[in-house]
Amino acid sequence: ARGVSDVLVNRLVDSEKYRVIERSRLDAVLAEQNLGGSGRVDPSTAAQIGRLLGVEVVILGSVTQFDIQKQGSSFGLFGVNVGGQTTEALVSLNVRAVNTTTGEIIMGAEGSGVGTQKDDQVYVLGMGGGTTTSNEGKLLSVATQKAVDQILVEMEKKNDKLAAVPKVLPNVNAVVADISGGTVVLNKGSSDGYRAGMKVSIERVGKEIKDPETGK
Protein backbone atom coordinates (compact mmCIF):
# COMPACT_ATOMS: atom_id res chain seq x y z
CA ALA A 1 0.00 0.00 0.00
CA ARG A 2 2.88 2.37 0.76
CA GLY A 3 4.39 1.72 -2.65
CA VAL A 4 1.05 2.32 -4.40
CA SER A 5 0.67 5.56 -2.44
CA ASP A 6 4.10 6.72 -3.62
CA VAL A 7 3.18 6.02 -7.25
CA LEU A 8 -0.02 8.09 -6.87
CA VAL A 9 1.88 10.97 -5.23
CA ASN A 10 4.46 11.03 -8.04
CA ARG A 11 1.71 11.06 -10.67
CA LEU A 12 -0.11 13.93 -8.92
CA VAL A 13 3.08 15.99 -8.71
CA ASP A 14 4.08 15.27 -12.30
CA SER A 15 0.67 16.43 -13.54
CA GLU A 16 1.50 19.94 -12.19
CA LYS A 17 -2.20 20.41 -11.38
CA TYR A 18 -2.05 19.75 -7.64
CA ARG A 19 -0.07 21.06 -4.67
CA VAL A 20 0.98 17.96 -2.74
CA ILE A 21 2.45 18.11 0.76
CA GLU A 22 5.64 16.31 1.74
CA ARG A 23 5.26 12.76 3.01
CA SER A 24 7.37 13.54 6.09
CA ARG A 25 4.87 16.17 7.26
CA LEU A 26 1.99 13.71 6.99
CA ASP A 27 3.93 11.02 8.87
CA ALA A 28 4.76 13.51 11.63
CA VAL A 29 1.09 14.42 12.13
CA LEU A 30 0.05 10.76 12.10
CA ALA A 31 2.62 9.98 14.80
CA GLU A 32 1.76 13.05 16.90
CA GLN A 33 -1.99 12.36 16.78
CA ASN A 34 -1.49 8.59 17.19
CA LEU A 35 -3.35 7.93 13.94
CA GLY A 36 -0.84 5.68 12.22
CA GLY A 37 -2.54 2.37 13.03
CA SER A 38 -4.06 0.34 10.24
CA GLY A 39 -7.66 1.27 9.50
CA ARG A 40 -7.76 4.19 11.92
CA VAL A 41 -7.77 6.99 9.36
CA ASP A 42 -11.36 7.68 8.25
CA PRO A 43 -13.02 10.78 6.71
CA SER A 44 -13.38 12.52 10.10
CA THR A 45 -9.76 11.94 11.17
CA ALA A 46 -8.60 12.77 7.63
CA ALA A 47 -10.32 16.14 7.97
CA GLN A 48 -8.55 16.72 11.30
CA ILE A 49 -5.18 15.83 9.77
CA GLY A 50 -5.84 18.06 6.77
CA ARG A 51 -6.59 21.09 8.94
CA LEU A 52 -3.39 20.54 10.91
CA LEU A 53 -1.44 20.42 7.65
CA GLY A 54 -3.25 23.40 6.13
CA VAL A 55 -4.52 21.48 3.09
CA GLU A 56 -7.97 21.58 1.52
CA VAL A 57 -8.31 17.95 0.46
CA VAL A 58 -7.01 14.65 1.81
CA ILE A 59 -6.95 11.56 -0.43
CA LEU A 60 -7.83 8.28 1.29
CA GLY A 61 -7.18 5.08 -0.63
CA SER A 62 -7.35 1.33 -0.41
CA VAL A 63 -5.86 -1.50 -2.44
CA THR A 64 -8.82 -3.78 -3.19
CA GLN A 65 -6.89 -6.27 -5.33
CA PHE A 66 -3.19 -7.10 -5.63
CA ASP A 67 -2.94 -10.60 -7.07
CA ILE A 68 -0.86 -12.84 -9.30
CA GLN A 69 -2.76 -15.44 -11.37
CA LYS A 70 -1.18 -18.17 -13.50
CA GLN A 71 -2.74 -20.30 -16.22
CA GLY A 72 -1.16 -23.15 -18.15
CA SER A 73 -2.16 -24.87 -21.38
CA SER A 74 -0.71 -27.59 -23.61
CA PHE A 75 -1.44 -29.88 -26.54
CA GLY A 76 0.45 -32.78 -28.12
CA LEU A 77 0.74 -34.31 -31.59
CA PHE A 78 3.16 -36.95 -33.01
CA GLY A 79 5.40 -36.92 -29.95
CA VAL A 80 5.62 -33.12 -29.82
CA ASN A 81 4.02 -31.42 -26.81
CA VAL A 82 3.59 -27.67 -26.90
CA GLY A 83 2.58 -25.78 -23.79
CA GLY A 84 2.69 -22.38 -22.23
CA GLN A 85 2.00 -20.42 -19.10
CA THR A 86 0.36 -17.03 -18.79
CA THR A 87 1.03 -14.91 -15.72
CA GLU A 88 -1.24 -11.98 -14.93
CA ALA A 89 -0.85 -9.30 -12.26
CA LEU A 90 -4.17 -7.72 -11.23
CA VAL A 91 -4.31 -4.47 -9.26
CA SER A 92 -7.46 -2.55 -8.26
CA LEU A 93 -7.53 0.71 -6.29
CA ASN A 94 -10.23 2.83 -4.68
CA VAL A 95 -9.70 6.44 -3.58
CA ARG A 96 -11.86 9.11 -1.92
CA ALA A 97 -11.25 12.83 -1.62
CA VAL A 98 -12.25 14.37 1.72
CA ASN A 99 -13.02 18.07 2.25
CA THR A 100 -10.98 18.93 5.36
CA THR A 101 -13.36 21.73 6.35
CA THR A 102 -16.56 19.68 6.37
CA GLY A 103 -15.31 16.08 6.50
CA GLU A 104 -17.48 15.40 3.44
CA ILE A 105 -16.39 12.92 0.76
CA ILE A 106 -16.48 15.08 -2.35
CA MET A 107 -15.13 12.61 -4.90
CA GLY A 108 -14.60 8.90 -5.40
CA ALA A 109 -12.60 7.13 -8.09
CA GLU A 110 -11.63 3.56 -8.96
CA GLY A 111 -8.87 2.22 -11.14
CA SER A 112 -7.64 -1.21 -12.22
CA GLY A 113 -4.69 -2.48 -14.20
CA VAL A 114 -3.36 -5.74 -15.60
CA GLY A 115 0.20 -6.81 -16.36
CA THR A 116 0.57 -9.93 -18.55
CA GLN A 117 3.45 -12.24 -19.42
CA LYS A 118 3.41 -15.39 -21.57
CA ASP A 119 6.03 -18.16 -21.45
CA ASP A 120 6.28 -21.01 -23.98
CA GLN A 121 7.39 -24.62 -23.48
CA VAL A 122 8.10 -27.24 -26.20
CA TYR A 123 8.78 -30.94 -25.45
CA VAL A 124 9.96 -33.36 -28.18
CA LEU A 125 9.78 -37.04 -27.19
CA GLY A 126 10.39 -36.21 -23.53
CA MET A 127 13.16 -33.67 -24.19
CA GLY A 128 12.22 -30.28 -22.82
CA GLY A 129 12.95 -26.77 -23.98
CA GLY A 130 11.55 -23.25 -23.86
CA THR A 131 11.57 -20.24 -21.61
CA THR A 132 10.22 -19.65 -18.14
CA THR A 133 10.88 -16.41 -16.32
CA SER A 134 9.56 -14.88 -13.14
CA ASN A 135 8.85 -11.15 -13.31
CA GLU A 136 5.96 -10.96 -10.86
CA GLY A 137 7.26 -7.80 -9.21
CA LYS A 138 7.58 -6.03 -12.56
CA LEU A 139 4.11 -7.19 -13.62
CA LEU A 140 2.58 -5.86 -10.40
CA SER A 141 4.38 -2.55 -10.93
CA VAL A 142 3.00 -2.26 -14.48
CA ALA A 143 -0.51 -3.08 -13.29
CA THR A 144 -0.22 -0.51 -10.49
CA GLN A 145 0.85 2.22 -12.91
CA LYS A 146 -2.16 1.48 -15.12
CA ALA A 147 -4.55 1.53 -12.15
CA VAL A 148 -3.15 4.85 -10.92
CA ASP A 149 -3.46 6.34 -14.42
CA GLN A 150 -7.17 5.43 -14.39
CA ILE A 151 -7.54 7.13 -11.01
CA LEU A 152 -6.00 10.33 -12.40
CA VAL A 153 -8.36 10.26 -15.39
CA GLU A 154 -11.34 10.02 -13.01
CA MET A 155 -9.95 12.84 -10.86
CA GLU A 156 -9.54 15.02 -13.93
CA LYS A 157 -13.19 14.47 -14.84
CA LYS A 158 -14.23 15.65 -11.37
CA ASN A 159 -11.60 18.38 -11.03
CA ASP A 160 -14.27 21.08 -10.72
CA LYS A 161 -15.35 19.61 -7.39
CA LEU A 162 -11.76 19.69 -6.12
CA ALA A 163 -11.18 23.22 -7.38
CA ALA A 164 -14.36 24.45 -5.66
CA VAL A 165 -13.11 23.53 -2.17
CA PRO A 166 -12.31 26.77 -0.30
CA LYS A 167 -8.85 27.40 1.12
CA VAL A 168 -8.26 26.20 4.66
CA LEU A 169 -7.91 29.02 7.18
CA PRO A 170 -5.91 28.69 10.40
CA ASN A 171 -8.06 27.60 13.34
CA VAL A 172 -5.98 29.54 15.92
CA ASN A 173 -4.93 33.18 16.21
CA ALA A 174 -1.25 34.03 16.14
CA VAL A 175 0.56 36.68 18.15
CA VAL A 176 3.36 38.91 16.84
CA ALA A 177 6.55 37.59 18.43
CA ASP A 178 9.08 39.92 16.83
CA ILE A 179 9.50 42.71 14.29
CA SER A 180 12.87 43.25 12.62
CA GLY A 181 12.94 45.79 9.82
CA GLY A 182 10.36 44.63 7.30
CA THR A 183 10.03 41.15 8.79
CA VAL A 184 7.20 40.26 11.15
CA VAL A 185 7.53 36.96 13.05
CA LEU A 186 4.42 35.18 14.33
CA ASN A 187 4.36 32.59 17.08
CA LYS A 188 2.39 30.10 14.93
CA GLY A 189 3.40 28.24 11.78
CA SER A 190 2.47 25.54 9.28
CA SER A 191 1.38 23.05 11.95
CA ASP A 192 -1.35 25.54 12.92
CA GLY A 193 -2.61 26.03 9.34
CA TYR A 194 -0.42 28.99 8.31
CA ARG A 195 1.32 28.56 4.95
CA ALA A 196 3.55 30.45 2.55
CA GLY A 197 1.74 33.11 0.53
CA MET A 198 -1.10 33.54 3.01
CA LYS A 199 -2.22 37.11 3.73
CA VAL A 200 -2.92 37.87 7.38
CA SER A 201 -4.53 40.78 9.18
CA ILE A 202 -2.63 42.14 12.18
CA GLU A 203 -4.62 44.04 14.78
CA ARG A 204 -3.83 45.64 18.12
CA VAL A 205 -6.06 46.69 21.00
CA GLY A 206 -6.79 50.41 20.61
CA LYS A 207 -8.97 50.89 23.67
CA GLU A 208 -10.38 48.72 26.40
CA ILE A 209 -13.98 49.28 27.44
CA LYS A 210 -15.30 47.67 30.62
CA ASP A 211 -18.90 46.72 31.21
CA PRO A 212 -20.10 49.17 33.87
CA GLU A 213 -22.25 46.53 35.52
CA THR A 214 -19.92 43.51 35.56
CA GLY A 215 -16.53 45.23 35.32
CA LYS A 216 -15.49 42.79 32.60
Side-chain angles (χ1 to χ4, degrees):
R2 182 64 174 262
V4 173
S5 174
D6 289 341
V7 173
L8 179 58
V9 168
N10 289 339
R11 282 286 201 270
L12 290 172
V13 173
D14 290 343
S15 72
E16 298 183 348
K17 296 180 179 179
Y18 306 96
R19 179 174 59 89
V20 186
I21 67 160
E22 294 180 6
R23 181 93 202 189
S24 59
R25 290 182 57 198
L26 174 59
D27 290 340
V29 170
L30 289 173
E32 182 180 345
Q33 302 296 320
N34 192 27
L35 295 170
S38 176
R40 295 178 62 187
V41 179
D42 55 28
S44 61
T45 53
Q48 175 189 354
I49 293 168
R51 287 193 296 271
L52 290 171
L53 291 170
V55 299
E56 293 78 41
V57 176
V58 169
I59 299 293
L60 293 177
S62 57
V63 180
T64 56
Q65 186 177 21
F66 200 78
D67 298 329
I68 290 288
Q69 296 183 2
K70 296 184 179 181
Q71 278 189 325
S73 62
S74 64
F75 67 92
L77 186 65
F78 303 121
V80 179
N81 191 63
V82 179
Q85 177 175 273
T86 300
T87 303
E88 283 189 338
L90 308 172
V91 175
S92 296
L93 310 175
N94 180 285
V95 303
R96 292 158 291 161
V98 179
N99 182 330
T100 59
T101 301
T102 64
E104 174 190 7
I105 297 176
I106 57 176
M107 185 208 71
E110 295 183 350
S112 59
V114 179
T116 305
Q117 174 182 303
K118 293 183 178 181
D119 292 310
D120 298 321
Q121 293 280 352
V122 179
Y123 295 88
V124 181
L125 297 176
M127 298 176 63
T131 61
T132 301
T133 57
S134 179
N135 292 314
E136 295 180 1
K138 183 177 180 179
L139 292 177
L140 285 167
S141 178
V142 169
T144 298
Q145 301 276 3
K146 291 180 179 179
V148 169
D149 286 343
Q150 285 190 12
I151 293 289
L152 291 181
V153 170
E154 290 298 310
M155 289 181 64
E156 183 65 24
K157 292 178 181 178
K158 303 171 183 177
N159 193 49
D160 56 335
K161 293 184 178 180
L162 297 174
V165 177
K167 297 288 185 181
V168 173
L169 297 177
N171 53 12
V172 295
N173 289 331
V175 175
V176 175
D178 182 66
I179 300 176
S180 300
T183 301
V184 178
V185 180
L186 305 179
N187 70 336
K188 302 294 182 182
S190 58
S191 61
D192 302 292
Y194 291 86
R195 60 184 181 273
M198 177 179 289
K199 293 182 179 180
V200 299
S201 173
I202 298 180
E203 302 173 353
R204 72 172 71 202
V205 177
K207 182 180 182 181
E208 287 188 355
I209 299 177
K210 293 185 179 181
D211 187 311
E213 294 181 352
T214 64
K216 294 182 179 180

